[in-house]
Amino acid sequence: MKWTEKYKKAITFSYDDGITQDIRLVELMNKYGIKCTFNINSEKMGMPSTLDREGNTLSFYRLTAYDVKKVYEGHEIASHTLLHKRLTEMTDEGVIEAVEKDRLTLSELVGYEVVGFAYPCGGVNHDDRVAGIIKEHTGVKYARTNKKTDSMQLQHDLYKFLPNVSHVMQGDRLDVLTERLINYNGDEPQILYIYGHSFELDFDNKYWAKLEEYFKFISGRKDIFFGTNKEVLL
Ligand SMILES: [Zn+2]
């Protein structure tokens, strides 16, 4: 049964890169009945990575294949390309390989067909050509961009899906949109789509506390459907 038959409101989460901080995040999500989609680079599983942010270099580790299968049980695994390279700079064949090979490897690993996708890299990480290739030549059924929208209406172009807000890093934007969803009384279904990277929560311990507070605040609301991306979008 599609969620819109019973609900007018849904909240879904999307976290990228398949990193060890996700273990703590999934425990929190499970505690509060929150559902999430995790976007994985299959050829980077088990590898260390670094990230430059605000003048600091952060180190983090990607979960191994064994852990990916176990840690995310009850949530959705989606593709994030094989190696986290920018698709707009690749040939058509390169895009197909980076997406479809990743999707098939992950499908085999988790034992169900992976149909979700999140574009890797910040800045301009997608365009019409890349979205068209993914739609025509891969088994991906929805692809999340990094361009935010204020609208929580159902979206028609699922290959350039726009999220609403990056979890706890954006001041009060999350609270404002959540309040709007909670107070919504209309007939059109609304989706609040929240995304992020769990290593960002390590920047400051207050972020972990803030996110748990948020989960506590939204959880158990009878008029909100909590589903993975594919359950909510497809
Ligand atoms: Zn990423």
Side-chain angles (χ1 to χ4, degrees), residues 15-18 39 41 62 80 84 118-122 144 196-197 199:
Y15 278 83
D16 291 356
D17 300 348
N39 306 298
N41 309 102
R62 294 178 188 260
H80 198 40
H84 210 283
Y119 292 98
C121 306
R144 188 209 84 209
H197 302 86
F199 57 71

